[in-house]
Amino acid sequence: MKYIKYIVMVGLTMVLLQACTDDFEEINTNPNAQVVGSNESLLLGAQILAARELLDNINSNNKGAAKWVQYYTNTTAPTDFVASNPREDINDFWVYQNLVTQTIPLIERILDNTEESPQPNYKAVALTLKAWIYGNMTELWGPIPFSDAQFGEISEEERYNKPKFDTQEEILKSVLGLLEEANQTFDLSGEASVALNGESDAYAGGDLLKWKKFANSLQVRILLRISDVDSGFAKPKLETIFGNAQKYPLLEGNEDNFGMTWEATIGSYSDPFAQYIENSANSPIAVTGFVNTLGNLQDPRIKVFLDPAPGYSDSETYTGVPPAFDEENPSGYTRVALDSVSQLSQTYTTAQKRFIMTYSELLFIKAEAASKGIETGISAAQAYQDGIKAHMEQLEIDPVMIDTYLTSSDVIFNPSNALEQIITQRYIAQFGQSINTFSMIRRTGFPKLDFFDIGINKEKGYPVRIGYPRETMQNFNQANFEAAIQGVNIVDNVFGDPLWFAKNAPTVKMEPTIQGGPVLFSY
């Protein structure tokens, strides 16, 4: 797919947009009237910006999310699990700034354009993107401005200048409403007048059925995410979607896997991992949480995601860097250096496609839902097994190895340990989707993670959110911010009371003991 001819248009749109966002006073408004451009350039611009903030980006503002979920990091230097200044891990200001003042206005402009000149599929795609972005934002922060922050021109009117915060429950249920509207709006007639320009669509190449399947599958993800806190709302909606494939088509195979396709060449619109490799002496470094999960299961996917640690005589030895350690600790380690740890493989770092949602994730969602008594049309055991198989096939694992893995004692489905098994496998399958995985871990308490008994998390546990930006939410919009967090215990920006969707969740399980040394897995 070629997007080059749209880059100039996207760049022009960005310049025009920047004029709307220079002042903090305008950060929560929707400067529709000052953003111009065709739906094609607006869509591509929004997709690129959203992917850079919400998918893994080791060069950018959310690089610490991968460390928090223990996939990978960018250093072997001593570090706390959560940085003493959490903004060093996930820069709350820039994530919020870039989504609210750059990305969302492009989407709102598409929605305005399709009101003025109806085009159902650009409208449906814009609604889906808006839902994906706001769903992620509220799962990161909790209450944020939503209903008063998504319409209206730049105005001195207080309602738009300093918008109220909506609750996470209100936002997630509104997001589900956007996705329902999108599902009803898609026009799959194939008429040229309603086609999506494939060259302006870096996520699906103009494939409208794939977009519709993603929109409905995203509904399912969000409904499961809130099912433990509001089963009466989520369960019937899940069963309605699962029970009506004609009205609610879902991802049906790996060919439907949905995500961002970056340009193959190194440049402004290339994959962040490729950019990182181009500018660094090493690949990102695997963290023990992910390595140990794969190694303990003797999982062949370890060879796809990671390279062996080069410093061991056995060339097929895999081990990770601890998620937290200092100069004195961990005991038993003689050194932590690049040659003593595994790094992300070239196979992974050179891939152009980065996934937002995959068929395997949908199957694990069905497995968990079925295990909780929700009718999905498939048993929990079958969906679990199919999810593993789909992900391994996505990675082109040898079929014989897949069969061997599926019959191993630690992998065979055990109803008494269903949630941990399902979430552990979903954790593996979501590698590279750290923000999505961060929400999953906080909601379920799984998988079991690894850390050394040091640093801020020793006493405060696992982070429950990212911090509210001081400049634009805590200070400028102080009255509404304080109203939103009234009665909520927030500690050091990222700890404290769980967010609404995770308020019934078990404690995230991290081993609070100092390991005796690196755990090595040989293949």
Side-chain angles (χ1 to χ4, degrees), residues 34 63 73 404 450:
Q34 299 189 34
K63 62 184 178 183
T73 185
T404 300
D450 176 47

Side-chain angles (χ1 to χ4, degrees), residues 20-21 111 124 130 132 146 203 232 251 258 288 359 368 377 432 438 494:
C20 306
T21 60
L111 293 173
K130 181 176 178 178
W132 177 55
F146 175 72
Y203 289 1
L251 305 182
F258 193 89
T288 50
Y359 177 55
E368 182 184 343
F438 181 46
V494 300

Side-chain angles (χ1 to χ4, degrees), residues 483-495:
I485 64 165
Q486 186 174 9
V488 178
N489 182 37
I490 298 177
V491 178
D492 292 336
N493 297 308
V494 300
F495 301 101

Side-chain angles (χ1 to χ4, degrees), residues 58-59 266 271-285 307 343-346 348-350 354:
I58 196 161
N59 302 303
I266 300 296
D271 175 42
F273 286 94
Q275 292 177 340
Y276 180 84
I277 299 298
E278 181 79 3
N279 298 319
S280 303
N282 60 276
S283 182
I285 302 153
D307 285 334
Q343 299 174 38
L344 301 198
S345 70
Q346 185 178 23
Y348 185 79
T349 58
T350 57
R354 301 300 174 191

Side-chain angles (χ1 to χ4, degrees), residues 70 152 215 313 323 378 481:
Q70 298 190 8
S313 57
I378 188 172
F481 168 74

